[in-house]
């Protein structure tokens, strides 16, 4: 696909468009403008009010407000005349199941949305705010994408991945995307929602649990906490469905506690960690068997553990599981949390062109 044109310079060169990427998570809306090397040159991040959960209209207003703030800054930098003549191309990435053609969020447990026409709502919000607002006077294009697909695209263009890659986002949930020849492989329905696959439950013999209830960041924190409170306790069923700001904050602080316990030799913490890695390795090995030679890029807060604690043992497990097949190149994502927003901007501009 090749590296996209500079996403900020079109206004300067008179090419008539500026692209903005917006990543929407459970706790924040992040809007960015980037250059053609994937570097963020301007950004806005805003917390998502609790009232936005399950309210697509309110969420669209928050997205529109963040874009408006970013455009106002661009207008100041580049001049009002140039900004008013430019088309505004917006890519919005969200977690869950999306219909890119229809611009709808089919289902996002993280955001509490189902069958929400987010593209039309964001477009309406921006059109309403455009009156008298610098940077919002040109034509408008809004596109919707799934966040893992945007992260994979950005990593392939500017980060750690090659043109063929399997991208895993491991956070409060687990999702995936596949790129072949630099282009996202677009499935339908639940494509990419690998965290919902059932795996053997390492805490309850003979039972099964969703992958993201075993190996996501929040799940490993929750399993470790349950083990500290009561050796017989199990994670609450469907715990990953709670994507509130409070639960995400607890996951971040709990991960530090888990890593500290592992470093101090806590056997229960080690068991939780190892069984989580076992599940991730099985998923990766199966993906390699299905897709053939490609890069595997993992984007996760679990990378806060040093390489010897996370990547090296994960690589070893995958190598064992693929048998006589060549082991994939397994690397940490280079762009981190900005990848989905960067990818949304790049994909939107490429699609607009």
């Amino acid at each position: 696909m090749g590296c996209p044109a500079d996403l900020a310079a079109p206004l300067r060169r008179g090419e008539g468009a500026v692209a903005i990427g917006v990543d929407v998570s459970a706790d924040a809306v992040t809007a960015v403008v980037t250059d053609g090397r994937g570097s963020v040159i301007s950004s806005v991040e805003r917390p998502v009010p609790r009232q936005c959960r399950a309210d697509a209209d309110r969420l669209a207003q928050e997205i529109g407000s963040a874009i408006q703030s970013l455009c106002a800054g661009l207008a100041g930098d580049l001049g009002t005349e140039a900004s008013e003549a430019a088309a505004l191309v917006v890519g919005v990435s969200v977690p869950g199941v999306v219909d890119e053609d229809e611009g709808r969020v089919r289902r996002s447990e993280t955001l509490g949305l189902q069958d929400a026409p987010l593209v039309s709502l964001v477009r309406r919000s921006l059109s309403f705010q455009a009156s008298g607002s610098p940077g919002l006077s040109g034509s408008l294009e809004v596109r919707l994408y799934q966040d893992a697909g945007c992260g994979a695209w950005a990593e392939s263009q500017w980060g750690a991945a090659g043109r063929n890659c399997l991208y895993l986002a491991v956070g409060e949930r687990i999702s995936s995307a596949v790129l072949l020849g630099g282009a996202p492989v677009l499935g339908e329905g639940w494509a990419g929602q690998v965290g919902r696959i059932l795996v053997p439950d390492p805490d309850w013999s003979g039972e099964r649990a969703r992958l993201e209830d075993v190996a996501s960041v929040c799940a490993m924190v929750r399993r470790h906490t349950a083990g500290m409170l009561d050796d017989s306790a199990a994670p609450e069923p469907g715990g990953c469905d709670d994507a509130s700001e409070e639960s995400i904050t607890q996951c971040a602080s709990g991960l530090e506690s888990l890593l500290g316990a592992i470093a101090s030799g806590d056997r229960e913490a080690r068991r939780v960690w190892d069984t989580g890695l076992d599940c991730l390795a099985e998923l990766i090995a199966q993906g390699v068997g299905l897709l053939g030679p490609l890069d595997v890029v993992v984007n996760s807060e679990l990378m806060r553990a040093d390489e010897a604690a996370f990547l090296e043992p994960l690589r070893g497990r995958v190598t064992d599981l693929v048998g006589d097949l060549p082991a994939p190149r397994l690397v940490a994502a280079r762009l981190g949390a900005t990848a989905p927003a960067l990818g949304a901007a790049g994909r939107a501009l490429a699609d607009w062109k």
Side-chain angles (χ1 to χ4, degrees), residues 208-267:
R208 291 185 175 272
R210 293 193 304 188
L211 174 64
E212 61 192 19
D213 288 335
V214 173
S216 70
V217 175
C218 290
M220 288 209 270
V221 167
R222 190 166 50 248
R223 292 173 58 212
H224 175 236
T225 302
M228 289 191 300
L229 294 176
D230 183 347
D231 287 342
S232 66
E236 295 180 9
C240 279
D241 290 344
D242 179 11
S244 67
E245 183 177 352
E246 181 179 359
S247 71
I248 293 170
T249 301
Q250 290 172 347
C251 284
S253 61
L255 179 58
E256 292 292 343
S257 175
L258 173 60
L259 295 176
I262 293 171
S264 67
D266 185 303
R267 296 176 66 179

Side-chain angles (χ1 to χ4, degrees), residues 49-70:
R50 290 181 180 272
Q51 299 91 323
C52 288
R53 181 165 174 79
D55 189 333
D57 285 288
R58 285 291 304 273
L59 182 60
Q61 291 171 22
E62 291 296 324
I63 294 170
S65 179
I67 294 169
Q68 180 188 26
S69 296
L70 199 56

Side-chain angles (χ1 to χ4, degrees), residues 17 62 92 105-106 119 123 147 176 187 196 208 276 280-281 295 341:
E62 291 296 324
V92 180
V105 180
R106 291 302 182 189
V119 163
R123 186 180 291 115
D147 57 354
S176 68
R196 303 183 69 86
R208 291 185 175 272
L280 291 175
D295 294 335

Side-chain angles (χ1 to χ4, degrees), residues 1-218:
M1 183 177 291
C3 190
D6 189 309
L7 304 183
L11 283 178
R12 298 184 178 92
R13 297 197 302 263
E15 293 181 2
V18 61
I20 290 176
V22 183
D23 179 48
V24 184
S25 65
D27 58 342
V29 171
T30 303
V32 305
V33 174
T34 178
D35 63 21
R37 296 172 298 280
S39 299
V40 175
I41 62 173
S42 184
S43 66
V44 172
E45 182 172 330
R46 294 185 173 182
V48 176
R50 290 181 180 272
Q51 299 91 323
C52 288
R53 181 165 174 79
D55 189 333
D57 285 288
R58 285 291 304 273
L59 182 60
Q61 291 171 22
E62 291 296 324
I63 294 170
S65 179
I67 294 169
Q68 180 188 26
S69 296
L70 199 56
C71 286
L74 289 174
D77 291 340
L78 302 172
T80 302
E81 182 177 349
S83 64
E84 287 180 350
L88 178 62
V89 180
V90 177
V92 180
S93 80
V94 300
V97 180
V98 304
D99 186 328
E100 295 185 3
D101 294 333
E102 295 292 330
R104 285 181 173 269
V105 180
R106 291 302 182 189
R107 183 173 179 179
S108 175
E109 293 176 350
T110 301
L111 304 179
L113 300 180
Q114 185 159 344
D115 201 29
L118 193 60
V119 163
S120 63
L121 295 175
V122 170
R123 186 180 291 115
R124 184 175 68 184
S125 174
L126 289 172
S127 299
F128 179 77
Q129 296 178 36
S131 177
S133 296
L136 290 177
S137 301
S139 62
L140 175 64
E141 179 76 16
V142 182
R143 295 182 180 269
L144 180 68
Y145 305 105
Q146 193 254 3
D147 57 354
C150 289
W153 193 94
E155 286 289 342
S156 179
Q157 298 292 321
W158 304 305
R163 291 173 59 79
N164 298 324
C165 84
L166 169 63
Y167 176 91
L168 289 178
V170 184
E172 62 266 23
R173 298 184 182 279
I174 300 177
S175 57
S176 68
V178 174
L179 262 68
L180 297 178
V185 178
L186 301 179
E188 296 184 358
W190 292 99
Q193 304 303 298
V194 294
R196 303 183 69 86
I197 295 171
L198 294 180
V199 299
D201 190 332
D203 303 319
W204 290 89
S205 179
E207 299 295 328
R208 291 185 175 272
R210 293 193 304 188
L211 174 64
E212 61 192 19
D213 288 335
V214 173
S216 70
V217 175
C218 290

